[in-house]
Amino acid sequence: MDLTVLADGTGLPPGSGSVAAGRATFDAKCASCHGAAGRGGIADRLTGGVGSLGSAKPVRTVASYWPYAPPLFDYIRRAMPLTAPQSLRDEEVYGVVAYLLSVDGIVKADARLDAASLLRVRMPNRDGFVSLEDKGFDGTLVRAAPGN
């Protein structure tokens, strides 16, 4: 089963999920590890921390760190819940993503996400990453020595 979803949305499946349905799924299948509203438990904190990465105590969460939303769908579908990876239906994954993004105000509390709308989500740290690749990179991996 090919589960790969890329940052540009390639691989997102059909279906959709609402914040309300996602909250119900999260409470039933995720909160025992990630805490209420994803604020932390025995597993990583998922929400909060927006704008904290440049501070003395950065809080790395989905909202504060991830630059694109589609890979969040990919990760949840592949790896969660920890006790039963790949057990969530696509609609449940869309819902959980919608719920988590709503906690930090990235999507509205009444949002419904699908492949098209998830691709339009603008993550707070979208511009927080620096490409080490030269914009004029031609694919050549071997570089000539300076002056040659």
Side-chain angles (χ1 to χ4, degrees):
M1 178 184 222
D2 183 14
L3 298 175
T4 303
V5 174
L6 303 178
D8 69 1
T10 301
L12 282 168
S16 67
S18 69
V19 169
R23 181 179 188 159
T25 300
F26 186 89
D27 288 347
K29 299 182 179 185
C30 311
S32 61
C33 291
H34 293 287
R39 291 193 178 97
I42 60 172
D44 290 343
R45 181 176 179 170
L46 302 174
T47 59
V50 176
S52 71
L53 293 183
S55 72
K57 293 189 178 190
V59 178
R60 194 160 54 178
T61 65
V62 168
S64 72
Y65 186 75
W66 289 49
Y68 300 98
L72 175 59
F73 180 97
D74 181 71
Y75 181 77
I76 292 171
R77 183 170 66 164
R78 284 175 186 269
M80 295 293 132
L82 186 61
T83 57
Q86 299 178 21
S87 65
L88 297 175
R89 293 176 292 108
D90 291 339
E91 290 77 14
E92 290 176 303
V93 179
Y94 276 118
V96 169
V97 170
Y99 172 62
L100 290 173
L101 297 178
S102 76
V103 169
D104 289 310
I106 298 169
V107 300
K108 293 181 179 181
D110 63 351
R112 172 171 287 280
L113 294 180
D114 58 18
S117 59
L118 186 61
L119 190 55
R120 290 190 304 268
V121 169
R122 178 103 180 139
M123 297 298 284
N125 197 36
R126 168 81 58 96
D127 298 324
F129 288 80
V130 176
S131 175
L132 298 177
E133 189 173 284
D134 179 11
K135 300 290 183 211
F137 182 65
D138 65 1
T140 303
L141 297 177
V142 178
R143 297 283 183 215
N148 290 338

